[in-house]
PDB file of all heavy atoms in Angstrom:
ATOM      1  N   LYS A  56     113.849 110.659  47.348  1.00 95.00           N
ATOM      2  CA  LYS A  56     112.939 111.871  47.748  1.00 95.00           C
ATOM      3  C   LYS A  56     112.065 111.410  48.958  1.00 95.00           C
ATOM      4  O   LYS A  56     111.349 112.246  49.510  1.00 95.00           O
ATOM      5  CB  LYS A  56     112.041 112.370  46.625  1.00 95.00           C
ATOM      6  CG  LYS A  56     111.050 111.404  46.051  1.00 95.00           C
ATOM      7  CD  LYS A  56     110.026 112.069  45.065  1.00 95.00           C
ATOM      8  CE  LYS A  56     110.673 112.572  43.803  1.00 95.00           C
ATOM      9  NZ  LYS A  56     109.766 112.941  42.722  1.00 95.00           N
ATOM     10  N   ILE A  57     112.129 109.926  49.247  1.00 92.00           N
ATOM     11  CA  ILE A  57     111.241 109.558  50.196  1.00 92.00           C
ATOM     12  C   ILE A  57     111.987 108.401  51.049  1.00 92.00           C
ATOM     13  O   ILE A  57     112.807 107.658  50.441  1.00 92.00           O
ATOM     14  CB  ILE A  57     109.891 109.038  49.615  1.00 92.00           C
ATOM     15  CG1 ILE A  57     108.783 108.862  50.665  1.00 92.00           C
ATOM     16  CG2 ILE A  57     110.109 107.892  48.663  1.00 92.00           C
ATOM     17  CD1 ILE A  57     108.311 110.046  51.401  1.00 92.00           C
ATOM     18  N   SER A  58     111.620 108.180  52.305  1.00 91.00           N
ATOM     19  CA  SER A  58     112.387 107.161  53.013  1.00 91.00           C
ATOM     20  C   SER A  58     112.244 105.731  52.548  1.00 91.00           C
ATOM     21  O   SER A  58     113.232 104.999  52.644  1.00 91.00           O
ATOM     22  CB  SER A  58     111.832 107.144  54.544  1.00 91.00           C
ATOM     23  OG  SER A  58     110.506 106.939  54.475  1.00 91.00           O
ATOM     24  N   TRP A  59     111.013 105.383  51.752  1.00 85.00           N
ATOM     25  CA  TRP A  59     110.993 104.038  51.346  1.00 85.00           C
ATOM     26  C   TRP A  59     111.975 103.774  50.265  1.00 85.00           C
ATOM     27  O   TRP A  59     112.102 102.581  49.942  1.00 85.00           O
ATOM     28  CB  TRP A  59     109.666 103.648  50.942  1.00 85.00           C
ATOM     29  CG  TRP A  59     108.956 104.282  49.613  1.00 85.00           C
ATOM     30  CD1 TRP A  59     109.508 104.118  48.412  1.00 85.00           C
ATOM     31  CD2 TRP A  59     107.864 105.173  49.564  1.00 85.00           C
ATOM     32  NE1 TRP A  59     108.754 105.009  47.490  1.00 85.00           N
ATOM     33  CE2 TRP A  59     107.818 105.402  48.142  1.00 85.00           C
ATOM     34  CE3 TRP A  59     106.954 105.701  50.363  1.00 85.00           C
ATOM     35  CZ2 TRP A  59     106.711 106.359  47.619  1.00 85.00           C
ATOM     36  CZ3 TRP A  59     105.878 106.461  49.698  1.00 85.00           C
ATOM     37  CH2 TRP A  59     105.825 106.807  48.563  1.00 85.00           C
ATOM     38  N   ALA A  60     112.571 104.741  49.601  1.00 90.00           N
ATOM     39  CA  ALA A  60     113.528 104.588  48.526  1.00 90.00           C
ATOM     40  C   ALA A  60     114.980 104.568  48.946  1.00 90.00           C
ATOM     41  O   ALA A  60     115.806 104.528  48.122  1.00 90.00           O
ATOM     42  CB  ALA A  60     113.295 105.613  47.389  1.00 90.00           C
ATOM     43  N   GLN A  61     115.211 104.784  50.323  1.00 93.00           N
ATOM     44  CA  GLN A  61     116.527 104.981  50.753  1.00 93.00           C
ATOM     45  C   GLN A  61     117.441 103.869  50.631  1.00 93.00           C
ATOM     46  O   GLN A  61     118.703 103.984  50.646  1.00 93.00           O
ATOM     47  CB  GLN A  61     116.571 105.471  52.188  1.00 93.00           C
ATOM     48  CG  GLN A  61     116.051 104.462  53.163  1.00 93.00           C
ATOM     49  CD  GLN A  61     115.994 104.924  54.562  1.00 93.00           C
ATOM     50  OE1 GLN A  61     116.951 105.553  54.988  1.00 93.00           O
ATOM     51  NE2 GLN A  61     114.905 104.830  55.199  1.00 93.00           N
ATOM     52  N   GLU A  62     116.896 102.579  50.359  1.00 94.00           N
ATOM     53  CA  GLU A  62     117.869 101.483  50.294  1.00 94.00           C
ATOM     54  C   GLU A  62     118.221 101.125  48.755  1.00 94.00           C
ATOM     55  O   GLU A  62     118.812 100.272  48.664  1.00 94.00           O
ATOM     56  CB  GLU A  62     117.291 100.264  51.017  1.00 94.00           C
ATOM     57  CG  GLU A  62     116.981 100.552  52.464  1.00 94.00           C
ATOM     58  CD  GLU A  62     118.358 100.749  53.317  1.00 94.00           C
ATOM     59  OE1 GLU A  62     119.468 100.271  52.823  1.00 94.00           O
ATOM     60  OE2 GLU A  62     118.198 101.610  54.175  1.00 94.00           O
ATOM     61  N   GLN A  63     117.644 101.813  47.930  1.00 96.00           N
ATOM     62  CA  GLN A  63     117.657 101.422  46.540  1.00 96.00           C
ATOM     63  C   GLN A  63     119.174 101.567  45.998  1.00 96.00           C
ATOM     64  O   GLN A  63     119.585 100.641  45.225  1.00 96.00           O
ATOM     65  CB  GLN A  63     116.773 102.223  45.679  1.00 96.00           C
ATOM     66  CG  GLN A  63     116.827 101.603  44.104  1.00 96.00           C
ATOM     67  CD  GLN A  63     115.834 102.205  43.306  1.00 96.00           C
ATOM     68  OE1 GLN A  63     114.794 102.764  43.713  1.00 96.00           O
ATOM     69  NE2 GLN A  63     116.013 102.002  42.003  1.00 96.00           N
ATOM     70  N   ALA A  64     119.800 102.545  46.421  1.00 97.00           N
ATOM     71  CA  ALA A  64     121.160 102.851  45.912  1.00 97.00           C
ATOM     72  C   ALA A  64     122.052 101.551  46.273  1.00 97.00           C
ATOM     73  O   ALA A  64     122.851 101.049  45.422  1.00 97.00           O
ATOM     74  CB  ALA A  64     121.850 104.017  46.539  1.00 97.00           C
ATOM     75  N   VAL A  65     121.877 101.129  47.542  1.00 97.00           N
ATOM     76  CA  VAL A  65     122.743  99.864  47.867  1.00 97.00           C
ATOM     77  C   VAL A  65     122.190  98.673  47.315  1.00 97.00           C
ATOM     78  O   VAL A  65     123.058  97.874  46.761  1.00 97.00           O
ATOM     79  CB  VAL A  65     122.560  99.887  49.413  1.00 97.00           C
ATOM     80  CG1 VAL A  65     123.307  98.519  49.923  1.00 97.00           C
ATOM     81  CG2 VAL A  65     123.364 100.911  50.107  1.00 97.00           C
ATOM     82  N   SER A  66     120.858  98.496  47.011  1.00 97.00           N
ATOM     83  CA  SER A  66     120.380  97.362  46.395  1.00 97.00           C
ATOM     84  C   SER A  66     120.835  97.308  45.018  1.00 97.00           C
ATOM     85  O   SER A  66     121.256  96.226  44.462  1.00 97.00           O
ATOM     86  CB  SER A  66     118.811  97.406  46.434  1.00 97.00           C
ATOM     87  OG  SER A  66     118.327  96.392  45.650  1.00 97.00           O
ATOM     88  N   ASP A  67     120.721  98.451  44.311  1.00 97.00           N
ATOM     89  CA  ASP A  67     121.208  98.441  42.813  1.00 97.00           C
ATOM     90  C   ASP A  67     122.633  98.074  42.712  1.00 97.00           C
ATOM     91  O   ASP A  67     122.971  97.428  41.815  1.00 97.00           O
ATOM     92  CB  ASP A  67     120.956  99.769  42.181  1.00 97.00           C
ATOM     93  CG  ASP A  67     119.498 100.270  41.975  1.00 97.00           C
ATOM     94  OD1 ASP A  67     118.730  99.214  42.093  1.00 97.00           O
ATOM     95  OD2 ASP A  67     119.263 101.284  41.416  1.00 97.00           O
ATOM     96  N   ALA A  68     123.516  98.553  43.616  1.00 98.00           N
ATOM     97  CA  ALA A  68     124.943  98.360  43.628  1.00 98.00           C
ATOM     98  C   ALA A  68     125.241  96.908  43.830  1.00 98.00           C
ATOM     99  O   ALA A  68     126.277  96.403  43.421  1.00 98.00           O
ATOM    100  CB  ALA A  68     125.696  99.316  44.525  1.00 98.00           C
ATOM    101  N   ARG A  69     124.386  96.251  44.583  1.00 98.00           N
ATOM    102  CA  ARG A  69     124.622  94.880  44.892  1.00 98.00           C
ATOM    103  C   ARG A  69     124.137  93.930  43.931  1.00 98.00           C
ATOM    104  O   ARG A  69     124.741  92.969  43.425  1.00 98.00           O
ATOM    105  CB  ARG A  69     123.964  94.506  46.325  1.00 98.00           C
ATOM    106  CG  ARG A  69     124.123  93.101  46.650  1.00 98.00           C
ATOM    107  CD  ARG A  69     123.510  92.793  48.099  1.00 98.00           C
ATOM    108  NE  ARG A  69     123.867  91.432  48.580  1.00 98.00           N
ATOM    109  CZ  ARG A  69     123.532  90.860  49.561  1.00 98.00           C
ATOM    110  NH1 ARG A  69     122.850  91.424  50.584  1.00 98.00           N
ATOM    111  NH2 ARG A  69     123.877  89.626  49.962  1.00 98.00           N
ATOM    112  N   TRP A  70     122.922  94.163  43.381  1.00 98.00           N
ATOM    113  CA  TRP A  70     122.202  93.171  42.626  1.00 98.00           C
ATOM    114  C   TRP A  70     122.347  93.395  40.972  1.00 98.00           C
ATOM    115  O   TRP A  70     122.343  92.500  40.295  1.00 98.00           O
ATOM    116  CB  TRP A  70     120.811  92.970  42.901  1.00 98.00           C
ATOM    117  CG  TRP A  70     120.487  92.607  44.379  1.00 98.00           C
ATOM    118  CD1 TRP A  70     119.932  93.320  45.255  1.00 98.00           C
ATOM    119  CD2 TRP A  70     121.016  91.454  44.987  1.00 98.00           C
ATOM    120  NE1 TRP A  70     120.097  92.653  46.420  1.00 98.00           N
ATOM    121  CE2 TRP A  70     120.675  91.383  46.264  1.00 98.00           C
ATOM    122  CE3 TRP A  70     121.653  90.255  44.533  1.00 98.00           C
ATOM    123  CZ2 TRP A  70     120.981  90.489  47.225  1.00 98.00           C
ATOM    124  CZ3 TRP A  70     121.903  89.217  45.330  1.00 98.00           C
ATOM    125  CH2 TRP A  70     121.519  89.366  46.746  1.00 98.00           C
TER     126      TRP A  70
END
Side-chain angles (χ1 to χ4, degrees):
K56 63 173 68 169
I57 192 72
S58 59
W59 72 59
Q61 65 181 310
E62 300 302 327
Q63 186 174 341
V65 173
S66 173
D67 284 358
R69 180 173 185 182
W70 301 115

